Amino acid sequence: MQMNVSQLLKAPIGSTRNHEVSGTIDISGDDAGSEVYGEVELLRTNRGILVKGTLHTEVQATCSRCLSLFGCPLSLNIEEEYFPVIDVVSGVSLSLPEEPGYFTIDEYHVLDLTEAIRQYALLAKPMKPLCREDCAGLCPSCGHNLNQGPCSCSTQETDSRWSELSKLALANHVNKLEGNR
Ligand SMILES: [Zn+2]
Ligand SMILES: [Zn+2]
């Protein structure tokens, strides 16, 4: 995810360059890595280089309903300004912004997208991931994964029927009370 941007740093402010991103990044730190692909536009600003674009990747996630592990696709809308640590022409050290959390272009004029992509991916990962929109989840009594078909427990169905009945009874009761008023 590294690119040499010395040419763009020498170009006038407002110059752009497109860069195709394709590679593997270790996003969560515990798997073999996630494929990342897409295209970014690099824009020369007065302070450095603004990177903008949409990248696609997939991270391993645990479904919050059925607890199965699945590949969760993510779209990352990257927009980050990178600041060079030295002047590309004179080689003089440049002062960096006051605010923390910025990214830098190193003394060899290499801009590395890895850390930004990792951070964007961690933010984009859903809090309650679902392996699919209509995941059926696990049976509350036997723990069977209901995506693989129904289990032999029938309690759940009976329970819901009873609760429908009691809701109806309650509604009737309330209606009667209101009618008496
Ligand atoms: Zn699921
Ligand atoms: Zn069951």
Side-chain angles (χ1 to χ4, degrees):
M1 300 297 148
Q2 296 186 335
M3 57 193 112
N4 190 300
V5 290
S6 58
Q7 288 309 311
L8 188 58
L9 284 173
K10 285 174 195 158
I13 292 167
S15 304
T16 60
R17 204 174 95 186
N18 287 332
H19 181 83
E20 203 158 311
V21 174
S22 165
T24 307
I25 289 184
D26 186 0
I27 288 169
S28 31
D30 57 1
D31 50 33
S34 302
E35 205 78 42
V36 180
Y37 62 95
E39 201 182 69
V40 288
E41 187 192 68
L42 310 178
L43 169 72
R44 175 69 166 117
T45 65
N46 58 338
R47 304 189 296 179
I49 289 176
L50 181 70
V51 179
K52 257 173 93 169
T54 304
L55 301 179
H56 307 277
T57 188
E58 199 176 275
V59 290
Q60 288 292 305
T62 306
C63 176
S64 60
R65 273 190 212 152
C66 72
L67 307 179
S68 65
L69 205 62
F70 70 102
C72 179
L74 301 177
S75 279
L76 315 176
N77 293 313
I78 306 265
E79 187 172 341
E80 274 313 320
E81 194 170 8
Y82 281 72
F83 299 91
V85 296
I86 63 165
D87 185 274
V88 68
V89 182
S90 65
V92 174
S93 295
L94 294 171
S95 58
L96 292 165
E98 302 269 315
E99 70 266 25
Y102 56 84
F103 295 102
T104 55
I105 299 163
D106 73 10
E107 61 270 37
Y108 306 105
H109 320 300
V110 170
L111 188 158
D112 189 352
L113 282 176
T114 311
E115 183 53 23
I117 294 172
R118 208 182 63 81
Q119 289 183 13
Y120 275 78
L122 289 178
L123 281 175
K125 196 172 166 177
M127 298 290 265
K128 287 190 172 170
L130 287 179
C131 64
R132 56 184 213 221
E133 208 66 54
D134 59 346
C135 170
L138 302 177
C139 167
S141 9
C142 73
H144 175 78
N145 186 341
L146 297 172
N147 294 318
Q148 293 156 8
C151 59
S152 46
C153 311
S154 53
T155 46
Q156 210 190 357
E157 227 176 300
T158 327
D159 279 346
S160 67
R161 245 183 265 137
W162 274 113
S163 69
E164 280 307 307
L165 268 179
S166 55
K167 250 187 256 163
L168 210 64
L170 189 68
N172 280 336
H173 189 61
V174 170
N175 279 344
K176 259 181 230 158
L177 284 179
E178 307 235 301
N180 286 343
R181 241 184 250 158

